[in-house]
Amino acid sequence: MLYLIDDAGAHGGAERFVKALAEHVPRERVAASVCSTRKVDPSVALELEATGVSHLGLNRGAAWQLHRLAPLVALIRREHFDVLHAHKFGSNVWGALLGRATGVPVVLAHEHNWSYVGGRGRRLIDGRLIAPLVTRFLTVSEASRARMVALERIAPEKLLVLPTAYVPSRGTSGDIRAELGIDPHAKLIVVASGLRPEKALEVLIEAHARLPPGAHLAIAGEGPCRERLERLSEALGTRTSVHLLGWREDVDGILARADAGVVCSDWEGMSLFALECMAASVPLVASAVGGTPELVRDGESALLIAPRDPRALADALARVLEDRELAGRLADAARVLVEDLRIERVAVRFADLYERLASDATRR
């Protein structure tokens, strides 16, 4: 069994999921290996190997460095994998091409966050190149599946929906309130996300500025939008109550001291941070995009709002922060829902899929 992804050590939700999946698939059923097609921190190999998972890093610094794919081809031919499971667009392309060229019986492509709005080239590659070559095309939500059928013309029977999993954070944490000098009784809103345009964090900062004074916002993550977010909070006069934490490995610990969690993206596949909020019993406010409405119900296990609406986001946050009975009810319902999405259970479902498809391929 080979997992293929650009960088198994990256901080994104898909990367964390792939690494955790390789570590948690039942060892008696699946012998897992991981290949990172891009440059990767060498410590990732040590972490994976400590759990019995081998790792190959290709260290490609650019898309044109095709010669660096040679060790991957050699690995596939040497190990005779039954299943190659590629993740995200770039690795889906190479997984489909190399998997079929080397005769791997089962080749899976996995799209974690279908966001090719306007990306005609990528849609064509998905529909005309990847889909015909792979055994199945996996995605994380019915919303993504519908887009792939309608816009990429992928045959519905080629697509499978398998939700992603809650993956506990690895880092240990102290008291985030003490770390930031926040009063123990002040309201604290938390989000963990890459600071990228589609995460719409400027909308959250604008919504936070509409809340009553005293509420703090902590954003864990890094990315190209950091300076813009800093300038916006400065312009809104909230710089002392908006805390950009950088990358953190202790998200679960931070959430343990939070009053609300937020996902305000323009699009999502299935947000790992939403799952982290649910597992931590932190009430969630989220934009109703992608797979989020399939994960939680508005008013029952979260509050859902339209994307790009700072007023609606502020109103929803105010409700959660002020009405603790509502907050507790949402958090309790969400905690029940996430139990079936813990990585240990999801990994078993993937092992079932691998065995079924491998058996079908053998019969054929």
Side-chain angles (χ1 to χ4, degrees):
M1 169 76 229
L2 176 63
Y3 293 100
L4 190 66
I5 192 164
D6 293 356
D7 179 358
H11 294 279
E15 291 82 3
R16 287 181 59 198
F17 171 69
V18 172
K19 187 166 178 285
L21 182 58
E23 293 169 341
H24 284 86
V25 284
R27 285 289 173 270
E28 68 277 9
R29 299 171 61 188
V30 179
S33 299
V34 175
C35 175
S36 295
T37 65
R38 295 284 189 163
K39 291 186 176 180
V40 64
D41 188 326
S43 65
V44 172
L46 296 177
E47 291 175 7
L48 284 166
E49 288 166 4
T51 65
V53 179
S54 62
H55 178 266
L56 171 66
L58 300 183
N59 293 312
R60 291 171 60 236
W64 57 264
Q65 293 180 329
L66 302 184
H67 63 285
R68 291 191 179 273
L69 295 170
L72 172 59
V73 175
L75 174 68
I76 295 172
R77 287 176 170 162
R78 182 175 68 249
E79 296 297 330
H80 302 288
F81 295 108
D82 298 298
V83 180
L84 188 158
H85 187 174
H87 297 260
K88 300 182 68 175
F89 180 72
S91 291
N92 286 343
V93 171
W94 294 120
L97 291 171
L98 298 180
R100 283 302 174 222
T102 55
V104 178
V106 176
V107 179
L108 303 175
H110 200 143
E111 183 52 64
H112 290 262
N113 186 5
W114 198 98
S115 58
Y116 304 151
V117 177
R120 179 173 173 78
R122 285 194 168 191
R123 294 203 301 269
L124 285 172
I125 292 172
D126 261 6
R128 304 285 180 85
L129 172 67
I130 297 173
L133 289 176
V134 298
T135 309
R136 291 288 188 276
F137 213 141
L138 277 57
T139 188
V140 299
S141 70
E142 291 293 345
S144 291
R145 181 182 184 275
R147 278 184 161 184
M148 294 169 82
V149 171
L151 300 178
E152 297 180 337
R153 300 293 189 264
I154 297 176
E157 61 271 16
K158 203 65 171 284
L159 290 159
L160 287 175
V161 175
L162 280 174
T164 191
Y166 163 60
V167 179
S169 58
R170 294 177 181 269
T172 57
S173 180
D175 185 340
I176 188 65
R177 290 172 178 269
E179 176 185 329
L180 298 176
I182 298 173
D183 186 281
H185 302 293
K187 300 300 184 183
L188 176 60
I189 303 160
V190 170
V191 60
S193 166
L195 309 187
R196 301 188 300 273
E198 72 271 16
K199 298 300 182 179
L201 293 169
E202 70 278 9
V203 177
L204 176 55
I205 289 177
E206 291 175 19
H208 167 259
R210 295 172 177 269
L211 295 174
H216 285 255
L217 171 61
I219 302 174
E222 275 296 353
C225 294
R226 183 183 180 107
E227 289 187 12
R228 182 157 63 95
L229 298 175
E230 289 175 339
R231 290 196 300 269
L232 177 60
S233 62
E234 190 75 43
L236 293 172
T238 58
R239 193 67 188 89
T240 59
S241 57
V242 173
H243 311 273
L244 299 179
L245 307 179
W247 287 118
R248 300 289 294 238
E249 299 289 342
D250 57 343
V251 172
D252 288 345
I254 293 172
L255 283 170
R257 299 288 284 138
D259 296 293
V262 179
V263 176
C264 58
S265 308
D266 291 334
W267 62 74
E268 284 285 347
M270 183 165 287
S271 166
L272 177 58
F273 181 66
L275 294 168
E276 289 172 323
C277 290
M278 295 165 71
S281 294
V282 173
L284 175 67
V285 177
S287 49
V289 297
T292 303
E294 300 168 34
L295 182 64
V296 289
R297 287 184 177 274
D298 182 34
E300 295 181 12
S301 44
L303 294 184
L304 301 181
I305 50 97
R308 291 279 167 183
D309 189 339
R311 183 182 296 277
L313 180 54
D315 290 345
L317 283 170
R319 286 182 63 195
V320 166
L321 296 176
E322 295 167 9
D323 187 343
R324 299 316 291 170
E325 181 180 347
L326 169 65
R329 188 167 68 250
L330 296 174
D332 290 346
R335 179 64 181 263
V336 172
L337 293 175
V338 83
E339 287 303 310
D340 197 44
L341 294 174
R342 292 184 178 275
I343 185 62
E344 298 83 1
R345 296 187 181 185
V346 170
V348 171
R349 292 200 284 274
F350 273 91
D352 292 341
L353 174 66
Y354 302 149
E355 289 180 346
R356 175 170 62 81
L357 294 177
S359 177
D360 290 346
T362 299
R363 286 198 298 271
R364 287 196 299 272

